[in-house]
Amino acid sequence: MPSPFPGMDPYLEHPALWPDVHHGLIEALRGALAPRLRPRYRVVVEERVYVTGIEGAAFVGRPDVAVVRTEAPMEPAAARAAPSPLRPRTVQVPLPDRVREAYLEIRDVASGEVVTVVEILSPTNKRPGVGRRLYEEKRLQVLGSRAHLVEVDLLRAGEPMPVSGDGRESHYRLLVSRAERRPWADLYAFSVRDPIPTFRLPLRPGDEEPVVNLGALLQALYDRAGYDLAVDYAADPVPPLEGEDAAWADRLLREKGLR
């Protein structure tokens, strides 16, 4: 079953579902690119692994204090002679969370050099904390090298990665930064109503660059992974759509019999 949305399905952004989507899309990209790039290039899945603490911790019902004293009406002095013990309140404490973020490297087989880096952003890359700091450092390293960068942002929540120009007001962004054109890059800014743009994967000069249809890969993944069984289209997505986009999505889902 295909997704009812023409491009990015906003229901796939749910924090409980996104890690599986991210992993599946990375593998789908490698599966689509590797046969088309061999024997000149290899497509390798790499990982960033780090631990987040209180910076990235999520709380449900964040408490103000750990122990609460309930004030009672004034009692006679004799009754107050033996103070009653404080009653503890159940709270949550932040636990370290081990985060694994996969990305792709296109490597020249002969030299072993990294020619292109393909990143799909995660929620931790878009909110303050160690995940964003590490990604921004890696991003600057790539942008300062001879490698191309393809950066895919399919998440509406959080702070977009810095660029100088348009795109910050769009729902989603796809950046293609060719090493030979820097500081200029191609930014595809699109909304939940739009198909995901196709793009050419930058490679070495003179080599044929395959067209990447990320939207088709996502639709195939949606069907293969059975995401229709995990999504409740009767509810709002997380984060919710707003204004005209919310009204448009409601009409779309009703037309398809999902509401």
Side-chain angles (χ1 to χ4, degrees):
M1 176 179 174
S3 165
F5 288 86
M8 178 57 189
D9 188 326
Y11 287 81
L12 300 184
E13 299 174 58
H14 194 290
L17 196 56
W18 177 253
D20 187 71
V21 176
H22 186 279
H23 174 80
L25 199 50
I26 286 287
E27 288 294 344
L29 268 170
R30 176 163 72 166
L33 290 173
R36 300 161 69 184
L37 297 181
R38 62 175 298 133
R40 178 83 161 90
Y41 301 97
R42 289 182 60 230
V43 184
V44 181
V45 177
E46 291 286 354
E47 275 192 336
R48 272 185 303 277
V49 181
Y50 55 91
V51 175
T52 62
I54 193 168
E55 296 168 309
F59 290 89
V60 178
R62 193 187 195 105
D64 295 324
V65 291
V67 179
V68 177
R69 181 201 296 261
T70 302
E71 295 294 337
M74 291 296 293
E75 300 178 15
R80 299 199 308 269
S84 60
L86 295 177
R87 301 184 62 182
R89 178 178 176 180
T90 301
V91 298
Q92 286 182 305
V93 295
L95 297 177
D97 183 22
R98 189 177 180 85
V99 178
R100 309 177 75 92
E101 292 176 349
Y103 59 95
L104 293 181
E105 288 185 349
I106 314 299
R107 297 181 185 171
D108 185 293
V109 170
S111 67
E113 290 182 328
V114 176
V115 175
T116 309
V117 177
V118 182
E119 292 273 5
I120 300 177
L121 298 187
S122 295
T124 49
N125 303 144
K126 297 190 66 181
R127 62 176 181 244
V130 62
R132 186 174 181 96
R133 289 199 303 271
L134 288 176
Y135 179 71
E136 286 183 333
E137 290 173 5
K138 166 68 181 301
R139 189 178 193 248
L140 285 175
Q141 288 175 2
V142 175
L143 293 175
S145 74
R146 294 187 298 173
H148 311 295
L149 174 66
V150 175
E151 183 180 82
V152 181
D153 183 357
L154 297 177
L155 297 169
R156 288 169 293 127
E159 181 69 15
M161 285 296 128
V163 295
S164 178
D166 291 337
R168 297 180 65 84
E169 299 305 318
S170 62
H171 289 141
Y172 311 113
R173 285 155 293 276
L174 197 162
L175 180 76
V176 180
S177 172
R178 295 176 177 272
E180 68 275 9
R181 288 191 58 212
R182 290 185 186 125
W184 307 109
D186 294 325
L187 178 68
Y188 301 86
F190 55 104
S191 81
V192 71
R193 308 192 201 191
D194 301 319
I196 299 175
T198 60
F199 63 95
R200 288 196 174 274
L201 184 75
L203 296 171
R204 296 280 198 211
D207 287 344
E208 183 179 356
E209 299 182 344
V211 174
V212 179
N213 190 336
L214 197 61
L217 293 176
L218 185 60
Q219 282 286 2
L221 174 64
Y222 182 97
D223 183 57
R224 188 168 62 250
Y227 289 138
D228 61 302
L229 304 177
V231 170
D232 179 11
Y233 287 112
D236 289 333
V238 178
L241 293 166
E242 298 178 349
E244 294 182 0
D245 292 315
W248 170 84
D250 181 65
R251 289 194 301 272
L252 177 71
L253 293 172
R254 290 184 187 279
E255 288 171 1
K256 295 182 179 291
L258 297 173
R259 280 191 174 177

